[in-house]
Amino acid sequence: MALVTEYFGSLAFDETAMQKYLPKETYDSLKKTIDEGRHLDIEIANVVAGAMKDWAISKGCTHFTHWFQPLTGVTAEKHDSFISPVGDGRVIMEFSGKELVRGESDASSFPSGGLRATFEARGYTAWDPTSYAFIKDKTLCIPTAFCSYGGEALDKKTPLLRSMEAIGVQALRILKLFDPDTDVACIRTSVGPEQEYFLVPKEMYDKRRDLIFTGRTLFGAKPPKGQELDDHYYGTIKPQVDAFMKELDEELWKLGILAKTEHNEAAPSQHELAPIYTQANIATDHNQLTMEIMQKVAKRHGLVCLLHEKPFASVSGSGKHNNWSITTNTGVNLLKPGKTPYDNAQFLLFLCAVIKAVDEYQDLLRISAATAGNDHRLGADEAPPAVISIFLGDELSAIIDALETNTHYDPMEKTQLQLGVDTLPPLPKDNTDRNRTSPFAFTGNKFEFRMVGASNSIGDCNTFLNTAVAESLRQFADILERQNDFKSALNDLIRETIKNHKRIIFNGNSYDDAWIKEATEERGLLNLKTTPDALGCFLDEKNVELFARHHVYTKTEMKSRYEITLGNYSKTIRIEAKVMIDMVYKEILPAITSYVKEVCEAGNAKKALGIPSVYEEKMAARLNKITCDIYDRVADLEAAMEGVSERKDKTIRAFYMKDEIIPRMNSLRSCCDEAEYLTAEKDWPYPTYASLLFGLQ
Ligand code: ADP
Ligand code: MG
């Protein structure tokens, strides 16, 4: 078998391929574009396109596609072949700079949230040269951004790139204050997303319409054993899963994706994959690809990979931990406490920028993780609550406190921390990584945002985070650039910021009810429990201003996103309710009835022989009662569903789903699960939780 070092990145047009296929000057210009965001002109694009085509053809490709991330949350592609007729019935393989840089696409089938009404139906895709082109299914894929002809973003990537630019510009202003001669040319954010998922046997999956249509189980009695013994987390990996993981790694490595850690997660059949972090837009592309490839590879192993946030009630759901930091093109992580006093002052200023951003834009972070699926997970004692707070760890919190009050930060030594003079004590990483309940934790040299759902794109959370921090940095730079005495201004600024925003810092157990009470009642933090609640804040003036100021979203783009997100929420629940009704009428009620019939027949047979039939009578009566309840509840849900289409307004409809449909679905489910619990397994129409969760070899 080939060595990983040999095939790593073999399907990506990465540094190695570029160096091999591009003339030196072209390579140098392209590198400048990639590293420093410089403009690339069309002559160079022509050369790059030709080289990419030669490289792709040498790997057996005949087609190319602009690969993009519309607001559906999954990726899209439209394939074109390289062929170009040259007369006399012959063709040559061609790919021009124009085709590389810009593609046209009919935008009308992608969600645009009203943008289509005011703009042309056509959209265009624009090459993102910072993310390597790659080969998938013998097709050259060009990572692109997707916009309308009016320039409005129709995807998750355009705003992300804009937000990276925004934070880069503001962070550089700050660096220049600390060192006017800094050789940093460009600053970007880095992301390492840890991805959780479930694997279930395909043959069981195929028997469950709820899994097929909605990605989660809408019914299912609790299995006798769940995750209470904690025996799955980091446990031995089963051979079937191990084979899957090995192949997954290989596929990802070929694409140049830095898959690093694979392990079992808390729930049975739950696993996690973590890549090594990389630039935010690349990490986002890679995460989308990873999710796609996970599902493909699983099928080859007779498995189905579930990326839903809550595939099973009563066991942990799946999320994504978005590890985020700010990095310079010279390789410095600005969230890493430094070795010199000056570096530390700079670190603390960046830390304060994040604290301020998270406090002021709590709503946005919550919104970035708001989907119907994730609503089941947040606050369910397994994932962070819907309340946003920051975990800093004891050491860093003590430093922050000391800075705020200007007191001794080390009671043993009675020293006063002087910014720009003292170094910080080394922060033990262990100490900062213990707390797993915080939605937003500082873990030594990065922040880990733990709210995002497993199936979500990480585009939104990074866009929001980048922009919010860009805004803090902008305000800081505005203040500091005006001051003559930089050091004392810096001290004041840090102290003020801590004072104003320390309510967002919480080092305790975020799963605790007492915390939710304290957070909302004493600290005034937001508790946006569901997607419609959270989305209600999106178009607030402060958010519109934030995104407009940093050119990340126009108000029109925000409105379109608002509509799409709420629309998706209602659609998801509508589909789920319909599948439930379908399963109840077509599978569940007939199954119970036939089982009850069998029980009654057995009872009658006993009676005929003069044997008591107490069990049969009681069981039949019990199930009969449940059958009546199920019937009443499904009819009630059905009637409530009639009211959905009457509610045309997206916001009103979403609240109707939340307040009227979901509670009815829950109540229907509970009696169906009780029936499952009582009915013979052979008569139950779909595989049980036990066989789904413990069915792997
Ligand atoms: P864990 O959270 O399981 O303790 P790590 O902290 O080592 O594991 O890493 C988790 C994820 O964070 C990985 O994807 C890793 O690459 C990423 N990561 C590590 N350092 C950084 C950083 N400076 N910026 C962004 N992501 C990072
Ligand atoms: Mg982690």
Side-chain angles (χ1 to χ4, degrees), residues 105-116:
S105 177
D106 182 1
S108 59
S109 308
F110 294 107
S112 77
L115 285 179
R116 216 166 38 241

Side-chain angles (χ1 to χ4, degrees), residues 194 272 321 323 433 436 443 446 448 450:
E194 299 164 66
E272 181 189 285
H321 289 177
N323 293 274
D433 206 23
R436 298 235 154 231
T443 50
K446 62 184 190 291
E448 183 168 343
R450 298 176 173 142

Side-chain angles (χ1 to χ4, degrees), residues 431-492:
N431 166 27
T432 57
D433 206 23
R434 280 279 141 76
N435 190 318
R436 298 235 154 231
T437 66
S438 175
F440 201 93
F442 183 70
T443 50
N445 60 0
K446 62 184 190 291
F447 279 97
E448 183 168 343
F449 180 48
R450 298 176 173 142
M451 266 191 174
V452 187
S455 68
N456 287 184
S457 156
I458 51 168
D460 287 350
C461 73
N462 288 302
T463 301
F464 296 179
L465 189 54
N466 289 345
T467 316
V469 176
E471 176 58 15
S472 304
L473 296 172
R474 181 192 72 84
Q475 292 183 20
F476 289 178
D478 278 358
I479 294 170
L480 296 173
E481 280 167 1
R482 269 189 265 118
Q483 305 296 325
N484 295 328
D485 184 351
F486 176 66
K487 227 187 237 173
S488 87
L490 182 66
N491 262 298
D492 293 347

Side-chain angles (χ1 to χ4, degrees), residues 190-194 234 274-277 323-325 333 429 433 436 445-446 448:
S190 301
V191 169
E194 299 164 66
Y234 278 48
I276 296 172
Y277 67 98
N323 293 274
W324 176 93
S325 63
N333 175 359
K429 188 171 177 262
D433 206 23
R436 298 235 154 231
N445 60 0
K446 62 184 190 291
E448 183 168 343

